[in-house]
Amino acid sequence: MMTVLLPLSAGAADIDMQEYLFGHVGDSYEWHVTTIKEKPVCVYLPVIVHSKSTGWHCFSSRHIAEGETYEGFRIAHADEPHAGKIVEVQGSELVKPLDISITKNVFGLMFNSAVVLLIILLGARWYRKHDAVEEAPKGFAGLVEMLVTMVEDDIIKECVGKDYKRYSPYLLTAFFFIFINNLMGIIPFFPFGANITGNIAVTLVLALCTSVAVNVFGNKQYWKDILWPDVPIFLKAFPLMPVIEIIGIFTKPFSLMIRLFANILAGHVMLLGVVAVVFLTAELGTVMNAGLSVIAVVFGVFMDCLELLVAFLQAYVFTMLSSVFIGLSRQEPETE
C-alpha cells in the first residue's frame, strides 16, 4: 500500500500507532522512505507559498522538516491552528499563506497521471504503425485494447445507451486513472505508494466531474422527470417527488466520492495494521513474536493480493455507476 518500512529496532513502546497509520495514509511535505539507525530517509519536496507581506517563497521542505522556521514559515504543530500545514509566523500569530506546494500526494498524483498518459500513448502508438483491420495487437497494446474494449462494450455502451461515444473519453479516463492510482498505491516504495484515491479531495473531484456530466449535459426528459414527474395530480400538489429527486442530485456524487475513498483508505489502514503486529509483539518474547509475525506476514501477503482485485473492482464500480447515472440523464420519453 504505502511505504510500510519501520526501523528494525522498533518495539511496542517506540511506535505511535496514530502517527504511524495517519503518517502513511496522510499528506506531507516530504516523502518518508524508511528509517535507518533512527535517522529518517526522506525525499524532500519543494515548498511554494505566497505571503501577503513578503510575496512568493520557494524552498526545499528540508528546511522545515524538523519543525524549524525558515524564511518566516514553519509547519504548524498538532495543538496549533492549521495543524500539519505550513503557516507564516507573524509575531505571536500564525497566518495561513497561499500554499501550492508539491506535497507527497501532489507528486504522486502527477507521477501516476504521467503513467496513465504513457500507457495510453504507447497503446495508440501501435495503431499508428499497424493496420488494425489486418493485424490484431499483441503484447502491451493488446492488453490496453482488451481493457478499453471491456470497459466500453460491457460498461459504457450498455449503461449509457446510444450516446455512449460522447461520454467514452471521460469514462475511460476515469477508469484508467483510478485503476492505475490504486495499483501504484500497492507498491511500497518511492515513487509509488502514495494514497491518491484514498484522499477524499481526489475522489471529490472525480465525483464532481461525473455530476457535471450528468446534470449539465442531461436532456430535457431528465430534468422533466426531476422537476415535473409523471405522478398523480394530488402528488404534484405536494412536491415531494421533486424534492427527493433534487436531493438525489447531490447524494449520487456523494456516494461515489465516499465509496471510493473509504474502500481504498480502509485497505491501506488494514495492511498497515497487520504489518505493525510484527513490531508491537516484539516485547512479548521470541516465541510469541515469531508466531504472530509469521501470521502477520502471511495475512499481509494475502491482503496485498486481495488489494490487486480491489484496485480493479473499485475502478470498475466507479465507472459503472457513473455510466448508469449518465445513462439515466439521457433517457428519451416513452412513446406508446
Side-chain angles (χ1 to χ4, degrees), residues 98-116:
L98 174 63
D99 187 357
I100 57 171
S101 304
I102 308 299
T103 62
K104 180 174 69 174
N105 281 351
V106 172
F107 180 85
L109 184 62
M110 294 168 63
F111 180 82
N112 295 345
S113 298
V115 172
V116 174

Side-chain angles (χ1 to χ4, degrees), residues 288-301:
M288 182 68 72
N289 179 240
L292 291 176
S293 295
V294 170
I295 296 174
V297 170
V298 172
F299 192 56
V301 172

Side-chain angles (χ1 to χ4, degrees), residues 170-188:
Y170 163 65
L171 293 170
L172 285 168
T173 301
F175 173 83
F176 278 96
F177 176 81
I178 296 172
F179 184 41
I180 295 302
N181 276 282
N182 290 348
L183 288 180
M184 292 300 183
I186 300 175
I187 305 174

Side-chain angles (χ1 to χ4, degrees), residues 18-95:
Q18 181 174 347
E19 181 181 353
Y20 165 65
L21 292 176
F22 290 99
H24 283 84
V25 302
D27 202 3
S28 64
Y29 292 95
E30 72 278 345
W31 198 308
H32 180 266
V33 179
T34 186
T35 301
I36 300 176
K37 296 181 179 180
E38 299 184 357
K39 292 184 178 181
V41 178
C42 300
V43 175
Y44 294 100
L45 301 170
V47 173
I48 307 171
V49 292
H50 181 269
S51 168
K52 292 182 179 180
S53 57
T54 59
W56 287 100
H57 297 259
C58 183
F59 52 88
S60 170
S61 60
R62 180 194 301 272
H63 299 294
I64 57 174
E66 302 298 329
E68 300 177 356
T69 301
Y70 184 78
E71 295 186 3
F73 300 92
R74 66 175 174 85
I75 298 177
H77 301 146
D79 57 345
E80 295 177 331
H82 314 294
K85 301 297 182 182
I86 290 180
V87 292
E88 184 179 6
V89 181
Q90 295 184 352
S92 59
E93 296 183 357
L94 299 178
V95 179

Side-chain angles (χ1 to χ4, degrees), residues 167-280:
Y167 299 94
S168 287
Y170 163 65
L171 293 170
L172 285 168
T173 301
F175 173 83
F176 278 96
F177 176 81
I178 296 172
F179 184 41
I180 295 302
N181 276 282
N182 290 348
L183 288 180
M184 292 300 183
I186 300 175
I187 305 174
F189 50 82
F190 179 84
F192 313 102
N195 182 34
I196 304 301
T197 43
N199 186 309
I200 198 167
V202 175
T203 60
L204 170 63
V205 172
L206 289 170
L208 287 177
C209 290
T210 296
S211 182
V212 169
V214 171
N215 296 297
V216 173
F217 301 104
N219 58 19
K220 294 181 180 179
Q221 183 64 31
Y222 168 71
W223 286 106
K224 177 182 179 299
D225 289 341
I226 291 177
L227 302 176
W228 195 252
D230 293 328
V231 294
I233 297 297
F234 71 90
L235 287 178
K236 291 184 177 181
F238 301 95
L240 180 61
M241 292 300 295
V243 170
I244 294 174
E245 292 293 339
I246 291 173
I247 293 174
I249 292 176
F250 300 98
T251 56
K252 289 175 182 176
F254 181 79
S255 67
L256 284 176
M257 174 186 71
I258 295 298
R259 177 182 288 105
L260 180 58
F261 159 73
N263 278 283
I264 300 302
L265 181 63
H268 280 72
V269 172
M270 287 179 63
L271 183 59
L272 289 168
V274 169
V275 173
V277 170
V278 177
F279 303 95
L280 291 172

Side-chain angles (χ1 to χ4, degrees), residues 160 162-170 216-217 330:
V160 176
K162 65 179 184 179
D163 291 336
Y164 76 94
K165 290 184 179 180
R166 182 180 184 182
Y167 299 94
S168 287
Y170 163 65
V216 173
F217 301 104
R330 304 298 301 173

